[in-house]
Amino acid sequence: VVILIIAIFVCGFLVGKSIPYFKSTLDTLTVKSTNSDDKNVKYENNVNSLIHIKNQTDVINKRSFLIEYIWKDLGFPSSMPSSVETNVHDSNFSNMNNLKQIDKITINMEHDVNSIAYLFHSEKSNNKLVIYHQGHDGGFVEGKRTIEFLLKNNYSVLAFSMPLLGMNNQPLVELENEGTIKLMSHSQFFYLDSNEFTSIKYFVEPIAVSLNYIDKNYDFASYYMVGISGGGWTTTLYSAIDPRITQSYSIAGSLPINLRSSPEDLGDYEQNVPSLYRIANYLDLYILDSYGENRKHVQIFNKYDPCCFSGDSFKNYENQIE
């Protein structure tokens, strides 16, 4: 199991450059309270005791439990997209270097929630596909520079936005005892969750279904995944459940719950679903992301990030995870 965890301001990505390790000798976590009346309080945790994966059997079981939690008795999706439109025109992505064509992939899910992804085919291809996942700032058009960079380096790109954002819809749903509401925020997903359904599905099913389509119609040698912020969180969860992802890169995506000492680090709905993290906590997910032949997971943090997970808290668990 190999996981690289780094703190940087600007990162070169997937261009063959080496990524430095930042080593730590800490055996326990120490987090200072942000309460002004409680500044000297420290919370110590033994990292190794929080890791629940010790061998390959644990990996298989954890992954199976996660799939059962998300898809219940249906198992990991084998379905295809609701629709695929080939060679679409989108002025937001016109005149991009090394772009052959764009295909639009639509996945419809429960409660009329959908996901619209773009498959950017590179003209000159290295036969590798990068899944790019945008965060909470908007649709994947916000990642245009990254998509263009990857295309210029001969990668094809499959781009996603988070549920309810970008081109994805915000449907009306009828709630028992509450009436009709418009889904506009991930925090509203709590209203949809039940013993028979978890809305965590909205974040990962579109990727699985899109890859099923790509598996059937193309012959890429490798699938990589990179996401920023909420997309970094999605990268962490999805790579844990689908070993088709050989390399995953989570940018400002998550920290273990006990290291989130600042309000801005607490995260959205999906970062804090107790029933999910009782199955596999973040430390477990990082191991699942990286376990397997030729697989690796890289966490990237901006040390002075104005939004989320700044600093170098990763040092508290880097050695144990590695």
Side-chain angles (χ1 to χ4, degrees):
V1 176
V2 178
I3 295 185
L4 311 179
I5 303 173
I6 61 176
I8 61 174
F9 189 73
V10 178
C11 174
F13 173 66
L14 293 176
V15 289
K17 296 183 179 179
S18 61
I19 301 175
Y21 281 81
F22 286 78
K23 296 298 183 185
S24 168
T25 58
L26 295 178
D27 290 323
T28 60
L29 308 183
T30 301
V31 181
K32 290 186 178 181
S33 169
T34 57
N35 189 320
S36 59
D37 298 324
D38 214 12
K39 288 183 178 179
N40 295 319
V41 173
K42 296 181 180 180
Y43 306 95
E44 295 187 356
N45 297 274
N46 185 297
V47 177
N48 288 318
S49 70
L50 298 174
I51 297 172
H52 305 108
I53 296 176
K54 308 299 181 183
N55 51 51
Q56 184 180 27
T57 299
D58 291 339
V59 170
I60 295 170
N61 289 338
K62 286 288 184 187
R63 186 169 288 146
S64 176
F65 293 150
L66 285 169
I67 290 171
E68 182 180 358
Y69 172 81
I70 296 169
W71 287 286
K72 311 305 179 188
D73 295 335
L74 297 175
F76 191 86
S78 59
S79 57
M80 292 290 160
S82 306
S83 68
V84 177
E85 301 173 51
T86 59
N87 202 19
V88 301
H89 173 75
D90 188 328
S91 59
N92 290 308
F93 300 100
S94 58
N95 301 318
M96 294 181 74
N97 185 274
N98 198 36
L99 175 62
K100 180 180 179 181
Q101 73 176 54
I102 300 173
D103 296 342
K104 179 181 178 181
I105 302 174
T106 301
I107 298 93
N108 297 323
M109 296 171 284
E110 288 88 344
H111 304 290
D112 294 324
V113 174
N114 76 353
S115 177
I116 295 174
Y118 273 9
L119 176 57
F120 297 86
H121 297 269
S122 58
E123 183 74 50
K124 182 181 178 182
S125 175
N126 60 12
N127 202 32
K128 296 176 181 179
L129 177 73
V130 177
I131 301 164
Y132 172 78
H133 210 298
Q134 183 62 33
H136 292 92
D137 282 346
F140 56 75
V141 67
E142 302 296 331
K144 180 178 178 180
R145 289 177 60 190
T146 301
I147 294 168
E148 188 165 27
F149 171 82
L150 292 167
L151 286 169
K152 287 171 65 176
N153 284 275
N154 301 328
Y155 294 92
S156 292
V157 181
L158 178 63
F160 290 91
S161 307
M162 299 196 82
L164 311 180
L165 299 177
M167 290 184 286
N168 299 336
N169 67 352
Q170 297 184 342
L172 298 176
V173 296
E174 186 74 24
L175 300 178
E176 186 177 358
N177 299 323
E178 298 293 343
T180 302
I181 67 168
K182 181 178 182 179
L183 292 178
M184 297 178 290
S185 167
H186 296 164
S187 62
Q188 295 172 293
F189 286 161
F190 280 119
Y191 294 117
L192 306 181
D193 289 341
S194 68
N195 291 333
E196 293 75 37
F197 176 79
T198 173
S199 47
I200 289 295
K201 179 178 182 178
Y202 294 143
F203 297 87
V204 291
E205 177 159 305
I207 307 168
V209 172
S210 296
L211 286 184
N212 292 343
Y213 166 78
I214 291 170
D215 277 343
K216 183 177 180 180
N217 292 278
Y218 301 97
D219 189 28
F220 289 106
S222 302
Y223 295 148
Y224 302 155
M225 185 168 181
V226 58
I228 184 168
S229 188
W233 172 88
T234 308
T235 297
T236 298
L237 179 60
Y238 189 78
S239 300
I241 60 179
D242 190 349
R244 288 181 292 184
I245 308 300
T246 56
Q247 297 183 26
S248 52
Y249 300 79
S250 173
I251 304 167
S254 69
L255 278 176
I257 296 294
N258 54 28
L259 284 175
R260 302 186 186 203
S261 55
S262 300
E264 59 269 21
D265 290 343
L266 295 181
D268 237 24
Y269 152 84
E270 61 273 9
Q271 295 257 3
N272 295 285
V273 180
S275 53
L276 172 61
Y277 301 109
R278 279 195 290 267
I279 297 172
N281 64 29
Y282 281 100
L283 297 171
D284 297 328
L285 291 176
Y286 303 153
I287 294 173
L288 290 172
D289 290 332
S290 63
Y291 182 84
E293 187 175 357
N294 297 321
R295 295 187 81 225
K296 71 175 180 179
H297 179 64
V298 180
Q299 282 188 283
I300 300 167
F301 299 100
N302 293 312
K303 188 169 185 178
Y304 303 105
D305 199 313
C307 169
C308 319
F309 312 124
S310 60
D312 56 5
S313 294
F314 69 90
K315 290 182 178 180
N316 290 298
Y317 60 87
E318 178 186 21
N319 285 349
Q320 292 86 341
I321 289 294
E322 183 185 10

